[in-house]
Amino acid sequence: MGALVASMLTLGFDMTILNVALPTMAGELGATTGQQQWMADAYVVVFAALMLPAGLLGDRFGRRRMLITGLGLFLAGSLVGALAGDVNWVVAARAFVGVGGALVTPLALSVLPSLFGPDERTKAVGIISAASALGLPLGPIIGGWLLNHFWWGSVFLVNVPMAAIGITACVFLLPETSDPASPRVDALSTALTATGLGALVYAIIEAPDRGWGDPLVLAMFGAAAALLTALVLRERRAVRPMLDMTLLAQRGFLFNALAATLVMFVLSGLLFVLPPYLQAVLGHDAFGTGLRLLPMMGGLMIAARGTQPVVARFGPRAVVSAGLVVLAFAALLGSRTTVGSGYGFTALWLSIAGVGFGFSVVPAMDGALGTLPRDRAGSGSGLLMTLRQVGAAIGIALLGSLLAGVFRDRLDVTGLPARAADTAGDSVVAAHLVGEKLGSARLAASADTAYVHGMGVVLLVCGIAALVAALLAAAFLPRATPAPSTSESVTPDVVAPVEDARQ
C-alpha cells in the first residue's frame, strides 16, 4: 500500500503543479497562450490515448513490472522537463511524463484485488484515491513555494524523488501479478486514438493564430474526424475491444458519461485560465496563487462527502442535474468578474463551483458504472475514464483558444512597434513584460482588462455547457441506478474509478 500511495501521490502533484507555473514559464520561456496550452495538453492527450493499452500491458506482462516502468518514464520525463531550455522540450517532456502517468494510474488500481480481500478492498481503494486527491491541492501550493525560491524547472524536479521512492517501494514490497487471459493490446487502435486526439487538439489550439479557415487547420480537423471514425468502426467489429462502443447505446451509461465528461471539460478550462488571472492581473506570487485555488478544492471535498446521503434521499438524476445547475451558476457568476472585483469575489464563485463539481461528477460516475454488468466492467470503466480525459484535453484546447482569441482582439496595442504589439498579443504575461520594458502602464492596464474579459467569455461558455448538461441529465438520466446484470458483486475495476472520482 505504501508503494502504491507513493505512486499515486506523485501523479496527484503533477496533475496541478504545472498550472500555477505556467504564467512564470510563459514569462521566462516566452511562451504564447497556444504554447502554454500545449504544455498542459501534451500530458493529457498522451495520458488519455495510452491509458487503456497501458492497463492491458500490465495485465499481460505483469503489473508490477509495468508500474515500475511507468514510474521510470515519469522520472525520466521530469528530469528532461527540469533541464529543458525552450518550450518545445518542455512539451516533449510533458508528453513523456504522460506516458508514465498512463501506465501508473490504471495499474496502481488493478493490483489491489491481489493484495486485499473483499473486506479490505474498499478501504484500500479509498486510501489510494485519497493519495491521488491529496496531490491536487498540494500541487499548486508546493509548486508556488518552489517558484518563489527556485527556478521554474523545480516544479518538474520535485517529481524525481517522489518517483524514485515509488520505484524503490514497488521493487522491494510489491508482488507481481498478471492476467494472461486479458484482451491483447491493439496497436492499430492505440495509434488511431493517439493520432486522432492529437490532430483534433492541434487544430483547436492553432486555429486562433492561423484562422479557422486555414488549410492546415481544416486538414487537421478532417484527419481527426477520419481517424476517430476509423477507431470507432474498428472497435465495433472487434470481438474483445479495448473501447467497448456498444456501451454508449445504454442510456444510463451514455448520459452519465456525458455529464462526467462535460464536468471535466469545465474543470480543466477553469484551472487553465485562473492562474494567469491570479498572478498577472491580481498580482499574487506563485505560492499565493496555489493557496487561492483551495476554495474550489474545499467545495469539491465537502460535496463529495455529502453526495451519498443526498443521492439516497433524492436519487442520482436529481443530484446530477442540481450539481450541474450549481456549477452553471458559479460559472455565470464568475463571468461577471471585473478587474476591480478582487479575490473575495473569486473565492466565492470558486467555492460554489467546487460544490457543483462534487455533486455532479461523483453520482454521474456512480450512475455510469452502475449500469455495467460484471463481464464488461473493465472495458466500461476504461471507456468512461478515457472520455473524461478527452473532455479535459478538449477543455484546455478549446477554452484556451477562445481566451487567446478574445484577449488578442481586445488588447489595445495602438502606437506600439509591430514586433512589440505582436509579442504583447501572445499572452497577458507577455503583455505585462512588454509594458514594463516600454514603460507603458496603459498597455498593462489594457492587458488586464482584455484578459478578464476573455476569462469572462470562457466562464460564460462553461456556464452554458453546464446548463445544457443539466437539461440533458434531467431529461434522459434514469431515475435510479440499475443494478449490474449479474448476481456477483461489482469488482474493484468498477469501484476504483468511482472512488477516484471522489477526489
Side-chain angles (χ1 to χ4, degrees):
M1 178 56 72
L4 298 178
V5 165
S7 303
M8 296 305 291
L9 189 60
T10 303
L11 288 187
F13 282 151
D14 202 69
M15 287 175 67
T16 55
I17 198 169
L18 189 71
N19 291 90
V20 76
L22 283 176
T24 302
M25 295 170 71
E28 297 192 16
L29 295 175
T32 65
T33 299
Q35 289 172 324
Q36 292 177 63
Q37 289 168 261
W38 273 117
M39 284 190 281
D41 252 345
Y43 176 89
V44 181
V45 170
V46 173
F47 187 91
L50 298 182
M51 184 159 44
L52 279 178
L56 295 178
L57 282 171
D59 291 343
R60 184 64 60 90
F61 300 109
R63 297 180 182 117
R64 185 185 73 160
R65 181 180 295 116
M66 298 310 297
L67 185 58
I68 293 170
T69 301
L71 286 168
L73 294 174
F74 195 91
L75 188 154
S78 298
L79 278 175
V80 172
L83 301 175
D86 60 43
V87 174
N88 294 328
W89 274 105
V90 172
V91 172
R94 287 287 292 168
F96 205 67
V97 167
V99 177
L103 283 169
V104 172
T105 299
L107 296 180
L109 295 168
S110 65
V111 298
L112 292 179
S114 62
L115 297 178
F116 301 98
D119 295 338
E120 294 181 312
R121 200 170 294 156
T122 301
K123 184 185 294 184
V125 170
I127 294 172
I128 291 294
S129 300
S132 179
L134 182 62
L136 294 177
L138 286 181
I141 294 173
I142 294 173
W145 184 85
L146 289 170
L147 288 172
N148 282 358
H149 294 83
F150 306 100
W151 91 116
W152 60 263
S154 60
V155 300
F156 285 92
L157 204 60
V158 71
N159 291 331
V160 173
M162 293 297 299
I165 291 171
I167 291 172
T168 304
C170 289
V171 168
F172 291 103
L173 301 174
L174 200 63
E176 184 62 279
T177 60
S178 63
D179 180 12
S182 65
R184 67 182 181 86
V185 177
D186 188 337
L188 180 56
S189 292
T190 303
L192 289 173
T193 305
T195 54
L197 285 178
L200 178 61
V201 171
Y202 179 88
I204 294 173
I205 289 177
E206 293 296 320
D209 288 334
R210 295 176 176 269
W212 291 91
D214 179 78
L216 178 60
V217 171
L218 293 177
M220 296 304 286
F221 274 124
L227 291 165
L228 294 176
T229 300
L231 170 67
V232 171
L233 294 176
R234 179 175 177 82
E235 292 298 291
R236 290 185 65 179
R237 295 192 187 102
V239 178
R240 301 184 69 187
M242 289 198 308
L243 289 172
D244 194 348
M245 298 296 178
T246 60
L247 292 171
L248 296 178
Q250 300 182 24
R251 190 182 71 172
F253 183 88
L254 173 63
F255 287 101
N256 276 305
L258 180 62
T261 301
L262 284 173
V263 168
M264 289 302 297
F265 172 90
V266 175
L267 177 61
S268 61
L270 284 182
L271 289 177
F272 182 80
V273 303
L274 274 172
Y277 167 70
L278 294 172
Q279 288 189 41
V281 178
L282 296 188
H284 300 295
D285 61 16
F287 179 66
T289 296
L291 289 176
R292 284 167 177 81
L293 291 174
L294 287 179
M296 179 189 291
M297 304 302 177
L300 211 169
M301 289 189 289
I302 290 170
R305 289 183 63 87
T307 297
Q308 188 172 356
V310 174
V311 170
R313 174 68 178 84
F314 298 103
R317 181 170 70 175
V319 176
V320 171
S321 302
L324 287 166
V325 169
V326 171
L327 178 57
F329 171 75
L332 295 174
L333 184 64
S335 70
R336 307 296 298 171
T337 303
T338 65
V339 174
S341 294
Y343 175 70
F345 181 69
T346 303
L348 171 65
W349 65 261
L350 269 182
S351 302
I352 299 172
V355 173
F357 286 136
F359 277 116
S360 53
V361 74
V362 175
M365 291 286 289
D366 274 315
L369 295 168
T371 64
L372 301 175
R374 185 183 186 279
D375 60 350
R376 302 172 78 183
S379 59
S381 59
L383 175 60
L384 181 59
M385 293 176 73
T386 299
L387 289 173
R388 286 177 60 200
Q389 294 302 322
V390 170
I394 294 178
I396 293 171
L398 189 60
L399 298 177
S401 295
L402 177 63
L403 174 65
V406 173
F407 174 78
R408 184 166 294 175
D409 290 341
R410 299 277 296 197
L411 184 66
D412 183 6
V413 293
T414 305
L416 293 181
R419 186 172 180 181
D422 186 61
T423 301
D426 287 340
S427 68
V428 64
V429 175
H432 274 267
L433 291 174
V434 172
E436 290 176 12
K437 186 174 182 180
L438 299 179
S440 174
R442 180 183 60 82
L443 178 61
S446 175
D448 290 347
T449 303
Y451 190 87
V452 171
H453 179 73
M455 187 176 77
V457 173
V458 166
L459 291 172
L460 185 63
V461 171
C462 289
I464 293 171
L467 277 179
V468 170
L471 291 174
L472 291 173
F476 297 108
L477 283 184
R479 288 184 179 274
T481 302
S485 58
T486 176
S487 59
E488 296 185 61
S489 61
V490 178
T491 66
D493 288 338
V494 177
V495 175
V498 177
E499 292 294 329
D500 182 53
R502 293 198 168 96
Q503 64 186 278

